[in-house]
């Protein structure tokens, strides 16, 4: 077979660069020697070569177990002053109190120079090239961690932020309350809040998490939104959130103060009439009932099947189309017929239906 000069020269270059065998050194770093169950612990592994280490492929992929989680932050491969450095950064989260001693494994795959020359000077064959790797399984440096039980499952360093409406609203107007925990810690341990207020409908959705992961663990914000609907004054009870502060090593309490909401009552129909208007009002009402009865009688006599649009339904559909938010739509359903629209209300409350347009379509379809 005719030798390809370019490939042959490339092979000679590789031979000259790899005349001496590469050596490498693994090291491990753990940010703490003590941590609490659920606390994020930064761990780093390094593989440093004495040259460019072009003959090696590294297989290093730590897995979570039933006693800890390994979460990848970053991994990189760089040449620093002509020397190859592979870096692997993880967050370790212990699941139970114990003395952890972790010894991970890495597989070093080395390609022989003969295979490089053979695959460079002849037709390249991926399968053949892959089959000639020499594998060496190495045990990593042991990392030790004493894991302690914390007095609270929720731990980290948090501040509380409460956003609320003015405490004076109209009857059946939603009163909004947003509760946010901001900081760093194990956000998954935050329990959803629950408000039970007499004669008040309370709407809420699943909490919203906006968090990132870095060397210090999870950082960001956890928010739960509420809407309270009532026809009379009400009090939102106080709440407290307890957590273990890993910085101060103490249990801290975040307080949500009680809120007294004043509700401007809805006017009754008779209160909106001036003196002397009652008689005219009822005359019109009687006329409406008479015409309705008459139209029903005529339809029965004519004996044809026809759907007469319900004036009530038309008005209701008009109100549905005019609703500007899911909260307003939910209130409309509750005030109209909560049992009838229970399924749709549940879908809105759970977030299954999150589009105002979609919710309107479901409601209108149910009354047609």
């Amino acid at each position: 077979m005719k030798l390809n000069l370019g490939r042959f020269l490339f092979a000679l270059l590789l031979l000259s660069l790899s005349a001496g065998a590469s050596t490498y050194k693994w090291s491990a770093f753990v940010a703490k020697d003590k941590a609490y169950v659920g606390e994020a612990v930064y761990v780093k592994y390094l593989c440093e070569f004495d040259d460019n280490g072009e003959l090696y492929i590294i297989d290093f992929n730590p897995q979570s177990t039933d006693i800890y989680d390994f979460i990848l932050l970053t991994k990189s491969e760089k040449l620093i002053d002509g020397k190859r450095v592979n870096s692997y950064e993880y967050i370790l989260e212990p699941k139970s109190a114990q003395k952890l001693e972790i010894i991970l494994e890495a597989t070093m795959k080395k390609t022989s120079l003969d295979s490089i020359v053979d695959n460079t000077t002849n037709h390249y064959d991926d399968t053949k090239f892959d089959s000639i790797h020499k594998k060496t399984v190495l045990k990593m440096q042991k990392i030790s961690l004493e894991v302690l039980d914390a007095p609270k499952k929720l731990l980290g360093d948090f501040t509380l932020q409460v956003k609320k409406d003015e405490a004076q609203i109209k009857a059946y107007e939603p009163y909004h309350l947003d509760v946010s925990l901001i900081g760093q810690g194990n956000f998954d341990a935050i329990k959803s809040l629950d408000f039970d207020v007499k004669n008040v409908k309370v709407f809420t959705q699943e909490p919203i998490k906006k968090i990132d992961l870095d060397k210090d663990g999870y950082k960001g914000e956890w928010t739960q939104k509420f809407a309270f609907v009532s026809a009379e004054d009400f009090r939102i009870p106080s709440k407290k959130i307890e957590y273990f502060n890993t910085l101060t090593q103490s249990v801290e309490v975040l307080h949500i103060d009680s809120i007294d909401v004043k509700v401007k009552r809805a006017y009754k129909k008779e209160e909106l009439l001036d003196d002397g208007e009652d008689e005219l009002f009822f005359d019109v009402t009687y006329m409406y009932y008479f015409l309705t009865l008459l139209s029903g009688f005529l339809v029965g006599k004519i004996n044809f099947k026809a759907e007469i649009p319900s004036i009530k339904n038309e008005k209701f559909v008009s109100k549905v189309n005019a609703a500007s938010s899911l909260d307003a739509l939910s209130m409309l359903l509750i005030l109209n017929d909560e049992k009838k629209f229970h399924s749709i209300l549940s879908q809105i409350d759970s977030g299954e239906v999150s589009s105002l347009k979609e919710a309107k379509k479901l409601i209108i379809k149910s009354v047609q």
Side-chain angles (χ1 to χ4, degrees), residues 86-103:
N86 286 73
S87 174
Y88 305 85
E89 295 179 288
Y90 291 87
I91 289 296
L92 169 66
E93 288 186 354
K95 297 180 181 179
S96 60
Q98 59 184 292
K99 177 71 173 179
L100 274 183
E101 292 187 343
I102 302 173
I103 303 176

Side-chain angles (χ1 to χ4, degrees), residues 190-245:
I190 302 176
K191 294 182 178 179
S192 297
L193 299 174
D194 180 32
F195 288 98
D196 185 13
V197 187
K198 186 178 180 181
N199 297 326
V200 176
K201 274 291 178 182
V202 184
F203 298 92
T204 186
Q205 294 182 348
E206 286 298 313
I208 301 167
K209 297 178 187 178
K210 297 180 180 178
I211 55 178
D212 296 307
L213 184 63
D214 63 15
K215 293 180 180 180
D216 297 319
Y218 290 99
K219 291 183 178 180
E221 182 175 348
W222 176 100
T223 300
Q224 190 173 5
K225 296 176 178 288
F226 298 90
F228 301 82
V229 181
S230 178
E232 57 189 39
D233 295 351
F234 61 92
R235 166 175 283 190
I236 300 174
S238 61
K239 293 282 183 181
K240 64 180 182 179
I241 301 172
E242 297 184 352
Y243 76 100
F244 181 71
N245 191 310

Side-chain angles (χ1 to χ4, degrees), residues 134-309:
K134 294 182 179 179
K135 298 181 181 180
T136 304
V137 178
L138 300 175
K139 291 190 180 296
M140 300 291 96
Q141 175 184 334
K142 179 175 67 178
I143 59 172
S144 299
L145 184 67
E146 184 179 355
V147 184
L148 309 172
D149 270 322
K152 298 291 178 181
K153 289 186 177 180
L154 177 59
L155 45 87
D157 183 25
F158 297 101
T159 58
L160 177 68
Q161 184 179 84
V162 178
K163 294 181 181 179
K164 54 188 178 181
D165 287 345
E166 291 294 327
Q168 187 166 349
I169 58 174
K170 296 178 182 178
Y172 305 113
E173 179 183 2
Y175 177 85
H176 297 99
L177 175 68
D178 297 352
V179 179
S180 298
L181 286 179
I182 303 168
Q184 68 179 55
N186 57 341
F187 284 86
D188 287 340
I190 302 176
K191 294 182 178 179
S192 297
L193 299 174
D194 180 32
F195 288 98
D196 185 13
V197 187
K198 186 178 180 181
N199 297 326
V200 176
K201 274 291 178 182
V202 184
F203 298 92
T204 186
Q205 294 182 348
E206 286 298 313
I208 301 167
K209 297 178 187 178
K210 297 180 180 178
I211 55 178
D212 296 307
L213 184 63
D214 63 15
K215 293 180 180 180
D216 297 319
Y218 290 99
K219 291 183 178 180
E221 182 175 348
W222 176 100
T223 300
Q224 190 173 5
K225 296 176 178 288
F226 298 90
F228 301 82
V229 181
S230 178
E232 57 189 39
D233 295 351
F234 61 92
R235 166 175 283 190
I236 300 174
S238 61
K239 293 282 183 181
K240 64 180 182 179
I241 301 172
E242 297 184 352
Y243 76 100
F244 181 71
N245 191 310
T246 52
L247 298 181
T248 62
Q249 300 288 297
S250 61
V251 175
E252 296 188 3
V253 182
L254 301 173
H255 292 277
I256 303 172
D257 296 330
S258 62
I259 305 170
D260 290 310
V261 181
K262 298 294 182 181
V263 179
K264 187 177 181 181
R265 68 188 180 94
Y267 288 105
K268 296 181 180 179
K269 179 171 60 181
E270 56 269 22
E271 294 177 329
L272 297 174
L273 298 172
D274 293 331
D275 293 339
E277 287 187 349
D278 288 358
E279 185 177 350
L280 176 62
F281 175 81
F282 285 108
D283 284 347
V284 174
T285 304
Y286 293 146
M287 181 62 70
Y288 166 73
Y289 287 133
F290 172 74
L291 291 175
T292 301
L293 180 63
L294 179 60
S295 64
F297 173 79
L298 292 175
V299 169
K301 285 294 185 182
I302 296 172
N303 194 27
F304 66 87
K305 293 184 179 180
E307 291 187 5
I308 300 177

Side-chain angles (χ1 to χ4, degrees), residues 4-62:
N4 185 300
L5 182 59
R7 289 178 176 173
F8 181 71
L9 291 175
F10 177 67
L12 289 178
L13 176 61
L14 287 177
L15 284 169
S16 64
L17 290 173
S18 305
S22 297
T23 59
Y24 51 80
K25 178 181 67 174
W26 278 91
S27 59
F29 167 79
V30 58
K32 303 175 181 179
D33 55 11
K34 289 184 180 181
Y36 293 94
V37 175
E39 185 177 3
V41 180
Y42 174 70
V43 178
K44 183 176 182 178
Y45 289 89
L46 280 179
C47 182
E48 299 172 282
F49 290 82
D50 65 349
D51 58 12
N52 61 9
E54 78 281 357
L55 298 183
Y56 284 90
I57 296 172
I58 300 174
D59 186 1
F60 182 60
N61 185 28

Side-chain angles (χ1 to χ4, degrees), residues 1-11 117 120-123:
M1 181 181 291
K2 186 177 179 180
L3 182 65
N4 185 300
L5 182 59
R7 289 178 176 173
F8 181 71
L9 291 175
F10 177 67
V117 173
T120 305
T121 57
N122 296 288
H123 179 68

Side-chain angles (χ1 to χ4, degrees), residues 301-344:
K301 285 294 185 182
I302 296 172
N303 194 27
F304 66 87
K305 293 184 179 180
E307 291 187 5
I308 300 177
S310 167
I311 294 175
K312 182 178 179 181
N313 277 1
E314 288 180 351
K315 289 182 178 179
F316 177 68
V317 169
S318 177
K319 290 180 181 179
V320 168
N321 286 325
S324 59
S325 67
L326 285 175
D327 283 339
L329 203 57
S330 297
M331 282 185 290
L332 179 62
L333 299 185
I334 290 171
L335 297 176
N336 187 271
D337 190 340
E338 182 179 359
K339 291 183 179 179
K340 179 178 180 180
F341 300 109
H342 176 74
S343 176
I344 298 175

